[in-house]
Amino acid sequence: SAQVLVSWKSYIAISDRDLLLCQYTYSESMAPVDETEEACEQTVDTPQEMRELALAVAKEVLPLELPMMLMMPGVMEEAKAMVRRADEEEMSNERVAELLSEAVVDVIWSPLAGCIPTLRHRPVADVRTQLMLFWRCVGALLAMPAAQLSALSMRKRQFLEGLEAVLPPEDASPSAARLAHLRLNLPLFSMVAKLPIKEEPKTAPASAKVAGEQGSKEPPKAAAAAAA
């Protein structure tokens, strides 16, 4: 069966549509993907199924991402600040990855601000592949400067009616604000969600509109005669 290869060097670019373009050079293999007929037919149909699958993929992907994150100045410090707990003074990198995955996993099934999830009721194999990208994008967004990450949120204002409710308050700590922006942008950035589609106002058929315009231009006397 095919194997998913994950150790990589990447080139990341952010376009106006917030798409992540990655070019990977692979060198190590991860667990083989189950490509049996039964696995291909099985779908992810509940929030719990999505959560369990996503966290399982996170355990495979994030430990391999940690060396890359450690190479980028300040990224691990940012991650630790976002998930730090009062009862845990010292946290290993693996523990940080675990807490970080717990902090964002719910937005896969239920993205924020009215965004539409795209992985529901899809085959497990397809969902798994997309989840791998989702967890890699965590590192990409953590490496983004706070001002740029905030700008990604602000640029969505015209598309998301519920945006204000999920933005961090003005007095939020830097780590809390970053986590809020991460949770908002991550589903769209990793393409596990899409922007909501606004319905266009309904208009009368063109033929009816033309007929109405012609009727309005009919001389009064002719209209009266026709009525008689």
Side-chain angles (χ1 to χ4, degrees), residues 8-175:
W8 52 280
K9 297 176 183 177
S10 65
Y11 167 77
I12 299 175
I14 302 172
S15 72
D16 288 340
R17 295 184 179 180
D18 302 342
L19 297 180
L20 176 70
L21 306 177
C22 296
Q23 179 180 350
Y24 297 106
T25 302
Y26 305 98
S27 60
E28 297 180 8
S29 63
M30 208 168 73
V33 176
D34 187 354
E35 293 182 341
T36 62
E37 182 176 350
E38 181 180 356
C40 292
E41 291 179 354
Q42 185 179 0
T43 57
V44 183
D45 296 323
T46 69
Q48 185 61 28
E49 290 175 352
M50 184 69 76
R51 177 184 174 83
E52 291 175 357
L53 179 59
L55 291 178
V57 175
K59 289 181 179 179
E60 298 170 356
V61 173
L62 287 182
L64 295 171
E65 296 296 303
L66 285 176
M68 298 294 297
M69 294 171 64
L70 289 170
M71 292 173 60
M72 295 180 282
V75 173
M76 282 304 299
E77 287 73 14
E78 291 278 3
K80 288 180 179 180
M82 286 194 301
V83 299
R84 189 176 303 279
R85 296 184 176 182
D87 58 341
E88 295 186 56
E89 294 183 1
E90 297 294 332
M91 291 189 295
S92 66
N93 292 337
E94 291 72 20
R95 178 59 172 161
V96 173
E98 178 186 355
L99 293 176
L100 185 59
S101 62
E102 291 279 355
V104 300
V105 66
D106 61 300
V107 301
I108 300 172
W109 183 270
S110 301
L112 304 180
C115 292
I116 302 172
T118 60
L119 300 187
R120 295 182 184 182
H121 313 300
R122 286 177 54 184
V124 170
D126 291 349
V127 173
R128 181 184 176 85
T129 299
Q130 200 66 33
L131 288 174
M132 293 175 70
L133 177 60
F134 176 86
W135 293 118
R136 289 185 179 123
C137 287
V138 170
L141 290 182
L142 281 175
M144 188 177 295
Q148 187 175 354
L149 183 58
S150 176
L152 285 183
S153 299
M154 296 303 103
R155 285 166 54 187
K156 297 175 177 64
R157 193 184 297 274
Q158 60 179 317
F159 305 108
L160 302 177
E161 294 181 356
L163 181 64
E164 300 298 333
V166 298
L167 290 177
E170 293 184 1
D171 60 349
S173 66
S175 58

